[in-house]
Amino acid sequence: MILVTGGAGFIGANFVIDWLMQSDEALINLDKLTYAGNRENLASLANDPRHIFVHGDIGDRELTNRLLEQYQPRAIINFAAESHVDRSIHGPEDFIQTNIVGTFHLLETVRAYWNGLADEARQGFRFLQVSTDEVYGSLASDEPAFSETHRYEPNSPYSASKAAGDHLVRAYHHTYGLPVLTTNCSNNYGPYHFPEKLIPLIIVNALAGKSLPVYGDGQQIRDWLYVKDHCSAIRRVLEAGRPGETYNIGGWNEKPNLDIVHTVCALLDELRPRADGKPYREQISYVTDRPGHDRRYAIDARKIERELGWKPAETFDTGIRKTVQWYLENQDWVRHVQSGAYRDWVEKNYGGRQP
Ligand code: NAD
Ligand code: TYD
């Protein structure tokens, strides 16, 4: 039995679905169901007794303590987080609460539980912290990609809160000996990605005939990885990673944002052409840049490949095609997540941006 937090969100849901496809080991899925958490992502598991969903907060010690005592998991994977940079700029507080304070409370409960385990279970236990490349800050165009020893230089409230959570995880290893693993992954894309993030936003807006907002000059670079490859890397780190180590995860796939938008537009031109026959890229609109916008992220993924033999299965071409197809086939999902709260967000984030 393992415990996954944040398993109703984008990456967590993909992880839970993949886990139960590949293993018979049951899992508890603890999720607060914020705007980003969606039970519909887990609809395919509705009748699967190996999936135990619990609605709750990682910061609720009484609850997490009860779950640990009742189910005695051998590992915890902490996906739960506030994850959107733009939201962290408009309102950082939730990020501090979940990504720092929540992680702290979770670590405290886990430490007590782990201390009480018998020797063998204590040794085999793992706490895996799912983190991001954004904690490393921004790279100049000629700098080498982030390795695990790059210093933490977070620039947004989101990345600063993730960095703080990671530091606590590290400290619980050095101080208390808790067997932790940390993964720092690059930008993910794929099914169930909430349409506030670049790739799903572009697909959804394009199909709705809306403008495609590109921040600043669109030349910021991100390193993209298909979400299922992130999930396979986490499974591999959980299985074979050395406690106390961190592993960078990425697919050597750096691309400027504008290239991403053009690629998505070209795929839609092919798979779902506009009624008027014009290309979707005509909908692109350059808008005011994000404050403090990091220019470039890039992951050096040699350690996980060398030590654990992990490699991504998808190229960007295969992954982005699958993704666009998934959104075309799952328009009901898109409609359902675009609730009133989603519309309020669009107004808040884009209403004030000058084209
Ligand atoms: P997401 O925002 O889609 O999902 C987060 C999930 O956590 C949601 O289901 C939400 O309800 C839940 N949650 C939030 N606060 C909670 C709390 N206090 N207690 C319990 N559950 C809570 O995020 P995501 O994109 O799936 O990211 C998952 C993790 O991976 C995060 O830790 C993020 O920092 C990290 N990460 C994301 C990316 C990416 O490109 N999306 C890349 C690298 C790392
Ligand atoms: P995002 O998906 O928010 O991920 P992150 O900021 O965590 O990397 O954004 C990816 C890139 O796309 C980032 O450089 C900001 C840019 N972007 C836009 O140009 N327009 C948009 O509407 C959004 C949401 C993002």
Side-chain angles (χ1 to χ4, degrees):
M1 173 80 76
I2 64 168
L3 168 64
V4 166
T5 72
F10 163 47
I11 304 173
N14 277 287
F15 181 87
V16 168
I17 291 167
D18 286 5
W19 178 271
L20 293 174
M21 262 187 332
Q22 319 224 352
S23 132
D24 275 335
E25 190 173 10
L27 63 79
I28 316 147
N29 181 354
L30 171 65
D31 197 295
K32 190 178 175 183
L33 297 178
T34 67
Y35 78 92
N38 183 0
R39 296 259 351 227
E40 213 178 320
N41 299 355
L42 303 160
S44 62
L45 304 174
N47 299 315
D48 191 331
R50 298 169 305 164
H51 178 235
I52 302 157
F53 184 81
V54 179
H55 182 197
D57 193 318
I58 57 166
D60 180 345
R61 284 206 216 179
E62 206 180 300
L63 172 64
T64 54
N65 191 39
R66 186 157 51 74
L67 293 176
L68 294 173
E69 291 305 325
Q70 184 177 350
Y71 294 106
Q72 301 276 309
R74 68 169 178 96
I76 291 165
I77 307 180
N78 186 28
F79 291 96
E82 289 293 333
S83 71
H84 188 33
V85 175
D86 292 313
R87 284 185 191 256
S88 82
I89 293 168
H90 287 283
E93 179 134 13
D94 288 347
F95 291 73
I96 308 304
Q97 279 310 327
T98 286
N99 302 358
I100 307 177
V101 180
T103 301
F104 161 69
H105 286 306
L106 184 62
L107 282 165
E108 273 294 271
T109 333
V110 170
R111 178 165 75 93
Y113 163 72
W114 173 72
N115 270 326
L117 292 175
D119 272 0
E120 203 181 324
R122 239 172 94 86
Q123 270 162 29
F125 184 81
R126 297 286 182 269
F127 181 99
L128 193 154
Q129 167 79 349
V130 180
S131 191
T132 160
D133 58 358
E134 307 198 19
V135 296
Y136 297 124
S138 182
L139 288 169
S141 57
D142 57 349
E143 280 184 290
F146 300 125
S147 72
E148 288 79 0
T149 53
H150 195 284
R151 78 171 194 199
Y152 271 34
E153 287 180 313
N155 291 321
S156 71
Y158 163 63
S159 54
S161 66
K162 287 296 291 184
D166 295 359
H167 287 327
L168 286 169
V169 170
R170 177 190 159 90
Y172 273 61
H173 176 69
H174 283 265
T175 305
Y176 305 114
L178 189 70
V180 306
L181 299 155
T182 299
T183 55
N184 295 85
C185 190
S186 59
N187 282 61
N188 284 213
Y189 66 98
Y192 305 113
H193 205 182
F194 196 76
E196 64 183 355
K197 305 276 174 75
L198 180 69
I199 289 180
L201 181 92
I202 296 301
I203 301 171
V204 166
N205 277 16
L207 292 171
K210 295 185 179 155
S211 70
L212 311 179
V214 171
Y215 295 168
D217 62 3
Q219 293 308 312
Q220 304 83 3
I221 292 173
R222 297 291 182 267
D223 189 352
W224 294 94
L225 184 70
Y226 190 61
V227 63
K228 304 275 179 193
D229 283 325
H230 187 188
C231 295
S232 75
I234 290 172
R235 288 197 304 274
R236 184 71 193 129
V237 171
L238 183 67
E239 183 179 64
R242 284 178 291 136
E245 291 290 315
T246 68
Y247 297 89
N248 282 358
I249 304 171
W252 303 96
N253 193 32
E254 289 182 60
K255 292 201 184 293
N257 292 341
L258 197 56
D259 282 20
I260 296 287
V261 176
H262 285 161
T263 302
V264 169
C265 287
L267 276 166
L268 287 171
D269 289 339
E270 177 197 325
L271 299 169
R272 185 69 54 89
R274 263 172 55 160
D276 62 7
K278 292 189 173 157
Y280 281 101
R281 63 157 75 186
E282 287 193 358
Q283 289 167 230
I284 291 174
S285 151
Y286 291 89
V287 300
T288 315
D289 208 350
R290 172 189 283 172
H293 198 169
D294 284 339
R295 198 67 187 164
R296 175 177 166 237
Y297 303 140
I299 279 284
D300 177 341
R302 281 178 296 183
K303 177 176 173 183
I304 187 170
E305 185 179 343
R306 189 177 61 240
E307 293 191 10
L308 305 183
W310 175 86
K311 269 189 187 179
E314 301 290 342
T315 63
F316 187 69
D317 285 351
T318 59
I320 193 70
R321 181 173 283 273
K322 282 185 183 176
T323 304
V324 170
Q325 267 160 348
W326 188 89
Y327 279 86
L328 287 172
E329 286 159 15
N330 289 277
Q331 303 222 18
D332 280 348
W333 179 90
V334 172
R335 262 191 296 280
H336 296 165
V337 298
Q338 287 176 318
S339 63
Y342 178 81
R343 284 193 294 277
D344 292 347
W345 163 251
V346 170
E347 178 50 36
K348 191 177 194 180
N349 191 45
Y350 297 98
R353 287 186 193 267
Q354 302 304 318

